[in-house]
Amino acid sequence: MDRSHTIRYKTTRLMLGMVLTTMALTGTVSICTLSAMKHIMDESSRGLGEGAAIHAENALEKQAIENLRIISEERAAYIEEKFAETENYVHGIAKLAQDIYEHPRRYPDRETLLPVQGSEELAAQLLWSERLTDSNDEAGIPFYTEEILKLGNLQDMLVQYNANNNMVSSTYIATESGWMIQADYIADSKYTRGGDVPDFYEAEERQWYQRAFLTGKGETVYSDVIPDIHQGKDCIVCAEPVYMDNRVVAVAGVGSYLDTVKAVMPFLWIRRAKLSFHRRRKEKPVPLPMICEKVRIRDLQNWQIT
């Protein structure tokens, strides 16, 4: 009896020990499993968070690119319109000049005044080539010919065209004989020699005149980016020849300073505008697709203004 009780007691203790050991092992495994699951969940959450942040950043970049594309297209259309107006101005000046040459009796004589020193007002001004100056004329001002008196009827048109377009810096007609009528705001810049006689203007030496002189009737051309003869600022000129009896007798032109163009179109005319965003997680720029690959306006395709 005592022996049987002892055996049951030992067996019970062994079973309880095994149960307790199993429970301890199960608890340890459960704790390890929970810890592993927590680690996996943490890693998963962290990965999802980083993924969401990357997706959000990519979405913002794509939206920024799209917004810039839309703005670029709108401004490209605007500048195309402005330069189309410029070409129309040049054509209008050339057409009226041609009519004056062909029918001078239809137009009264009209004198064009010299540039006014110190003036910043928009006005038509008379200039001329040195070859028109008589060395015996103490005043240094050539006699007005019928040609320039008749062309004086262009003054109002030149002033109006300049005033109507904020990308236009100057409008003019230059004759093959050496006369020049120019409408702009920089009359004072035409007196660098001192005295009361304005500087000579040699139109035949200017690129826009030379290109137009070799161009067909009714066709417009653009100069390269060239320095303005009066202030030295970069400019471009649209020009058209005036024909009479199958020969060029004058050239009409409209000039625009580059800073004027850039003021109207802050980041247009950039052939390859590269944009980049900085991701904080990488701390280096990520290149985005190029915006405004090029803006085509006839001969202006190769301009690069930065």
Side-chain angles (χ1 to χ4, degrees), residues 252-265:
V254 173
S256 299
Y257 288 130
L258 253 62
D259 57 2
T260 303
V261 176
K262 290 169 69 176
V264 175
M265 310 300 298

Side-chain angles (χ1 to χ4, degrees), residues 149-168:
L149 288 173
K150 298 300 182 183
L151 290 175
N153 290 282
L154 286 165
Q155 294 179 66
D156 294 337
M157 176 180 283
L158 295 176
V159 170
Q160 180 182 0
Y161 284 167
N162 195 319
N164 286 348
N165 190 320
N166 56 357
M167 278 177 45
V168 172

